[in-house]
Amino acid sequence: MQQAINGIFLGSIYALFAVGYTLVFGVLDILNLAHQAVFMLCAFAALTLVGQWGMHIALALPLAAALGGILGLVLERIAFRPLRGRSDSNISGLISSLAAATIFEAIALQLFGPDVSRFPFGSFPDRPLHLGHATVSALQLTIVAISVALMAILTALLRATPLGRRIRAVAENPRAARILGVDVDRIIAWSFFISSALGGAAGVLFGLAFNSVSPDVGRSIELKGLAVIILGGMGSVTGAVIAGFAIGILEVFTVARIGSSYRDAVSFAVLFLILLVRPRGLLGQAATREA
Amino acid sequence: MPLSVEKVERAFGGVRALDGVTFTVGEGEVHGLIGPNGAGKTTLLNVVSGLLRPSGGTIRLGEHRIDGRPAHQIAARGIARTFQNIRLFAGLSAAGNVIVGEHLVRKAPLWRRMLLLPAARAEEKAALDAALLVLARVGLRERAFDTASALSYGEQRRVEIARALARSPRVLLLDEPTAGMNAAEVAAVEKLIREVAAEGRSVLLVEHNVRLVMEVSDRITVLNFGKVIANGEPEEVARDPAVIAAYLGADT
Amino acid sequence: MPDFLLAYQSLFAFIGINGLLALSVYCTLCCGQLSLANAGFMAIGAYAGAILTQNFHAPFGLAILAGTILPAVFAVPLGLPVLRLRGVFLAIATIGFGEVVRLAFVNWDYTNGALGLVAIPQKTGLWTIWLALAFALYVLGRIRGSRPGYALEAIREDEPAARTMGIATTRYKVSMFALGAALAGLAGVLEAHLTFMVAPNGYGFSRAVDMLVYAVVGGTTAFYGPVIGAAFLTLLPELLRGGGQALGLAPGPLRLFLNGAILLAVILFVPNGLASLPAAMQIFRPRRPPRSAALR
C-alpha cells in the first residue's frame, strides 16, 4: 500500500514530464531532446525565486512553468523552425535539440554550479497524513493533485477548445491542416509552449519532491520519460499518462524488492522490451516507416 | 503469369484504399492501371513492391507468393519500380543512382576492394559501364556525372526509369512516368516502354495521360474507390459505361 | 622526437582518440541513423581491455582485439530489433543503453564501482593511436564508392526507395552500427592505456554528445570530415582557455556551451560540416572533376 502510494506519487511526475515529450512528438514527429533541460532549468528557476527572492512556492511554480513555456518558444524558434522542410529534418532535429540541451546545461552549470542545490527549509509546509497503514505527506498529496490537474487541463484543452482541435489536426496531417486554413507554424509554437510549460512544472514538482536540484537532474528523468512515451505509444497523450503511472509504480516496487541500484534499469528494461515486442506501445501509431 | 494480384485489400484506419483488387499481367504485356485520383493506384504499387503490407489477398510473381514479404526480397524476385513523386538519391550522380539500381545483379566483395585487388577495380569499371549503357538507353549518357538534384524534372524521371531497368527486372512498375514531361520526352518514354515489353518484361503502368495508356497498353484495369470497375483491352474499357461514369463523375 | 611534438604529445594523442570516436559516430550517421550508444560501447571496450592487461597480464594486442570486438557483439542484439524501426527509436534505445552501461559499471564491484580501475599499465603510444586512426580512415574510405558504400548512401537519402532496389537496409544499418561500436571500443582501449584509468562517469551522456559534436561539426558527407571536426574541437578549448578566464567563465561550462553553440550553428548553417566548406566556397576548384569524385 505504502509502495503503491509512492509509486503513484513518482508516476505522476513522470507522466507530467512525458506528456510534454509526446505532445511535441505527436505534432512535429520529432523528439525534443532538450525537454529534460527545460525541466532542469525550471527547477532551478523555482529554487531561485523561493530561496533568493523569498517568494511563496504557490507563486513560484506558475512563474517557473511560464518560464518553461517561453524556453519552449525559444527552442522552437532556434532549433526546430529553421530545419522545417529539410529532407533530413528528423535526424537534424534530434541533433539541434541536443545542441540546445547542451547550451541550457552549460548555462545552468555557470549560474548554479555543479553541486546539488536545495529549497530553504520550511518553504513548503509539510506534515504526514495517515491512510490506514500508509503514510502520505501533504507535500506528496499536493504534488500528485497538481500534476493530475495539469494533465486533466491538457486533456480538456486538446479535446474541447479550438486550439486543441487545431493541435490535433496538425498532429494528424499537417498538410491537410494547412489547406484547411490552420496556421501550422503558430500551432507548433503553441505545442512547444504547452509542452515545455508542463515539463517545467514537472521540474519544479520534482525539485520539491526530492528537494535536490542539480544541472544533471534532467538526465535521469529523461530516460524515464523516454521509457514512458515508448510504453504509452509515441504521440499518445493518454498513453503517456497511463504509462507514466505504470513506470512509477513498477520502479518503486523494483526498488523495494530488488534494491535501489536497479532503479534506472527498470526504465531501460521496459523500454527495450516494448521495442522488442510491441514498438507502437500501448496506444501509438505504427512504428515502422512505410512508403 | 508473371504477376497476379488476387483479392488484394489494404485499409488505412477505416478507409479501404484497396478492396478486393484482382488482375493479372502476362509476360511481355504492358498493363495499364488507370482511375481517378485517390482510386488506389499508387497504394497498389506500394503493396506490390512491398512498401505497404496488404491487409488481405495474395500477390504472386510466377509461382512465388510475394504479398507481405519485405520490399528488398520482392525486389530480388524481379520487381522494380519508379515513384510518382520522383525519389532519386538526390546527393548521388545520375550514374550513382543507376549503380544503386544494379545492387542486386552485381557482386563486388568488399574485401577485394579493401586489399586493393585489381579485380575490384575491374568490377567497379564494369558496374559503371553498365550504368552508362542504361543511361544511354534513356538518352542521358551525357548527364551521367551530374548530381541527380541538378537534373531537370523530365531527366529525373528518366533516371528513375534507368535505375529500375538497371537490374533487368521481370516486372517493371511505372508510377506516372510521363508526368511533367514535354511531348518529345513522352514519345521517348512510350518507345522505351514498347522496347522493354518486347524484351519479354511485364510493365504495370499507372498513368494519367489517357492517350498514352490507350496507345501502349495491351490490357487495362480501371480502379475506382479501391475497386476494379473494368478490366480488358483498351477499346473495351473505353466503351465501358462504368468507366465513363467514374471519369465524368470525377471531373477528369 | 622534435620538441614541438613532445610538448603537444598528449594533445595529439587526444586528437587521434577523438578522431576515432568521431568516426564511430560517422558509421551510423552515414546511413542516416543517430546513435548515442557509443560512449557505452567505448566503456565496454575500455573496461574489457583494462581488465585483460591489468588482471590477466594479457598482451596489449589481445586487449585491443577484445576491446574492439566485444562492443560489436553487444551492438548486434541491441541494434537488430531497433534498427527495423524509424530512426527516432534508435536514438531513444541508445540513450537508454548508454545509461545502463554506465550504471552497470557503477554497480559492479569487480571493477571498483564508481571509482573505476586505476593504475592500468600505460601501453598506448602516439603511433598506436594514429595507426588505428589511419586504419579506420582507410576502411571507411574504401567503403565509399563500393557496392555497400552506394547502398549506405541510398539508405541515407531515401530508405524505402533503397529497399525497393533490393537493398537489405536493416542488415546494412546493423553492420554499420556494429562497426561504429567496434571503433568506439577501440578508442576506449587506447584511451584507457593512455590515461591509466577508467571510471564509469567518463563514459556518460556528455561523452556521447561530445562525439556527436565532433562528427557533425566536421561533416559526414566525406569520410574524413569527422576527424577534422575532432581535431578542431579538441584544439579549440586550448586556444580559447585564456579568453574564457578573462570573461570569468569556468572552463567546464564554457566548453559545454561552445560544444552546444557550435553544434547548433553547424546544423543550421553548414549542414554538411566544416569539411564541406572549401568546396562550398570554391577555394580549391578542380580544373576538371575527377571521374570517381563526380560519381558521388
Side-chain angles (χ1 to χ4, degrees), chain C residues 205-229:
Chain C
F205 189 74
S206 56
R207 193 71 190 260
V209 175
D210 282 351
M211 302 173 197
L212 178 72
V213 180
Y214 302 148
V216 172
V217 168
T220 52
T221 42
F223 67 94
Y224 50 83
V227 180
I228 294 176

Side-chain angles (χ1 to χ4, degrees), chain B residues 49 51 71-72 75 79 81 83 87 89-93 95-96 99-101 103-104 106-108 110 113-116 124 128-129 132 145 163 167, chain C residues 138-151 153-155 157-169 171-172 291 294-296:
Chain B
S49 61
L51 287 183
H72 67 271
I79 291 186
R81 69 168 295 178
F83 294 89
R87 287 169 78 165
F89 306 117
L92 292 170
S93 65
I99 289 177
V100 173
H103 186 82
L104 283 165
R106 214 149 276 289
K107 285 270 165 289
L110 192 57
R113 195 175 148 84
M114 288 290 168
L115 296 181
L116 297 169
E124 282 152 38
L128 179 59
D129 290 345
L132 294 179
F145 298 115
R163 183 176 71 177
R167 77 185 106 112
Chain C
Y138 178 77
V139 168
L140 292 171
R142 292 306 284 172
I143 288 178
R144 275 277 148 130
S146 70
R147 179 174 175 271
Y150 276 111
E153 293 210 39
I155 294 170
E157 297 265 353
D158 187 336
E159 197 184 325
R163 284 195 307 229
T164 66
M165 304 289 125
I167 295 168
T169 54
R171 196 180 308 161
Y172 276 101
R291 198 151 123 124
L295 260 178
R296 276 255 320 103

